[in-house]
Amino acid sequence: MKPRIENGYWRVRLTMPDGTRKSFGLGHSDRVSPTEAGRQAKAIMRDVLLGRVATGTDTPLSKWRDSYLASKGEWSHLTREDVEKSLDKLIDHFGKDRRIGSITSTEAEAFAAELLASGLAKNTVRKHCRNIKAMFQAAVDAEPQVIASSPFRRVASSVVSTPKDWATVTEADLQAILDACPNPGYKALFALCRLAGLRRSEAVALRWEHVTPERIAVYPRSDTEGTKQRYREVPVQPKLAAILANISRSGYGPCDGVEEDKAAFYRVLTGILSAAKVQQYAKPLHTLRKNLETEWLSKYPMSKVAHWLGHSPTVAMKHYDRPEEKDFDMVAKGKP
């Protein structure tokens, strides 16, 4: 059956294996060419023959979005917020009542191009597309299946590596930062990020019963195990052990007194760096974690460092490993 235009949309009507007739949307005629509509129709006919045809192609985009988000109860608040931003952009573009099965691959590629043309960075666009692609893939994998194939399957979503200006926070810088902290809680936060490589959320959740002079136990925040949701133990450097011991004797919890409001929190961090006379740098806490991992990778096996920091060796190589000045000096002087 050839597709035809009905009420401005390409549609194709097929006879199902059980003898019933079903209509499939192929996209708006203003956005989808006859050639693309024909290609989409052939793909659907193939899925019908193979018994893979979806049962819910007429599901509104907003309804599937809500179902998808509701199924991800294990996500952290930050992950959910990130994905919701991407899905909001999708619905702003296509409309909340657009049928999920009517979006074509051509429209998906045009959507990504429009995001890029709006001034967003390439990696930002790819992250949005990665989040959206995951939602459409969930519709393909659902039981019963919602759509037969994802229109975003051909859209680029892998973040590309870009040159980064790495900020180096030396031991002297760290000491100046610690001296400028308004209370022991912030001092613990900076020390845990720079000397143990903890993420902000992990440091804030830390309790004294998780800490010994030799190691820190980092517990997941949910019962669902994932890349950032896995129990691990981190070795404690002597300097960090001394800092934490002093804070413990002061009666403070590890990160007591740290602002919970995100905007207020980053204002405090900016003020600390300014008072310490340390040049402002992007991602104040994550940069500390990167500094530590770079140091540890030059001393210890990657498998161990990746375990201590809570991610895979692949992530360590891609985002955290870089040559230091001493490495250049060693090669230049012929040292091993």
Side-chain angles (χ1 to χ4, degrees):
M1 292 289 292
K2 289 185 177 182
R4 60 183 180 180
I5 298 173
E6 296 178 13
N7 298 321
Y9 285 85
W10 288 104
R11 300 194 73 83
V12 63
R13 297 182 184 277
L14 301 175
T15 301
M16 308 303 289
D18 61 3
T20 60
R21 296 276 289 172
K22 186 172 179 63
S23 176
F24 297 87
L26 306 173
H28 199 284
S29 59
D30 288 346
R31 300 191 186 99
V32 179
S33 68
T35 300
E36 172 66 12
R39 193 190 66 76
Q40 293 281 340
K42 287 180 181 178
I44 291 173
M45 283 189 280
R46 182 188 67 244
D47 288 331
V48 169
L49 291 173
L50 295 175
R52 296 203 310 255
V53 69
T55 59
T57 54
D58 286 337
T59 301
L61 197 55
S62 58
K63 183 178 179 180
W64 178 249
R65 170 194 182 275
D66 293 343
S67 298
Y68 173 69
L69 291 174
S71 71
K72 301 297 182 180
E74 75 278 10
W75 279 351
S76 70
H77 170 71
L78 292 177
T79 298
R80 183 172 298 276
E81 188 178 76
D82 182 59
V83 174
E84 285 178 349
K85 286 179 183 178
S86 301
L87 302 187
D88 285 347
K89 289 184 180 295
L90 180 76
I91 289 179
D92 287 345
H93 180 84
F94 289 105
K96 65 176 183 174
D97 296 323
R98 179 70 183 272
R99 293 331 194 204
I100 189 171
S102 71
I103 298 174
T104 67
S105 56
T106 299
E107 289 180 298
E109 290 170 350
F111 165 74
E114 185 175 302
L115 288 183
L116 195 59
S118 71
L120 293 178
K122 179 187 288 187
N123 277 344
T124 301
V125 172
R126 290 192 171 201
K127 286 178 182 177
H128 284 311
C129 290
R130 181 180 61 195
N131 291 337
I132 292 166
K133 185 181 285 188
M135 184 192 76
F136 276 93
Q137 188 58 45
V140 175
D141 296 337
E143 293 289 346
Q145 194 179 51
V146 177
I147 54 175
S149 61
S150 168
F152 278 82
R153 64 189 180 279
R154 297 194 316 225
V155 177
S157 59
S158 297
V159 175
V160 295
S161 297
T162 55
K164 296 180 178 69
D165 292 328
W166 285 57
T168 300
V169 180
T170 65
E171 287 192 14
D173 291 333
L174 178 61
Q175 189 57 56
I177 289 170
L178 297 179
D179 292 341
C181 286
N183 61 47
Y186 278 98
K187 183 175 291 189
L189 179 64
F190 274 99
L192 288 166
C193 292
R194 181 61 180 85
L195 300 176
L198 267 60
R199 300 176 177 94
R200 174 196 169 189
S201 59
E202 295 168 344
V204 171
L206 197 66
R207 300 292 177 265
W208 286 126
E209 56 264 31
H210 304 160
V211 182
T212 72
E214 294 82 27
R215 65 187 66 192
I216 294 171
V218 181
Y219 290 88
R221 299 185 303 282
S222 72
D223 295 331
T224 303
E225 187 172 285
T227 305
K228 299 179 182 179
Q229 294 292 325
R230 186 177 292 118
Y231 174 81
R232 71 182 196 275
E233 294 181 347
V234 185
V236 175
Q237 304 183 46
K239 181 173 183 177
L240 176 61
I243 292 171
L244 295 180
N246 287 333
I247 293 172
S248 176
R249 285 193 290 270
S250 72
Y252 266 72
C255 290
D256 285 356
V258 172
E259 285 281 357
E260 294 183 10
D261 178 74
K262 188 175 181 180
F265 172 76
Y266 280 102
R267 282 198 297 272
V268 174
L269 293 196
T270 300
I272 291 172
L273 294 179
S274 178
K277 294 182 170 53
V278 171
Q279 185 174 353
Q280 301 287 336
Y281 54 87
K283 298 183 179 180
L285 298 180
H286 187 62
T287 294
L288 301 180
R289 174 176 160 86
K290 288 165 66 173
N291 270 242
L292 175 71
E293 183 150 6
T294 298
E295 291 176 3
W296 276 0
L297 285 171
S298 68
K299 300 175 182 177
Y300 309 111
M302 180 175 293
S303 58
K304 290 183 171 58
V305 175
H307 174 79
W308 294 335
L309 274 291
H311 53 222
S312 69
T314 302
V315 170
M317 284 294 294
K318 184 175 181 180
H319 299 290
Y320 294 90
D321 191 23
R322 68 153 187 170
E324 298 182 88
E325 286 300 322
K326 65 180 182 180
D327 299 320
F328 289 97
D329 292 341
M330 288 171 63
V331 173
K333 294 175 182 177
K335 296 182 179 179

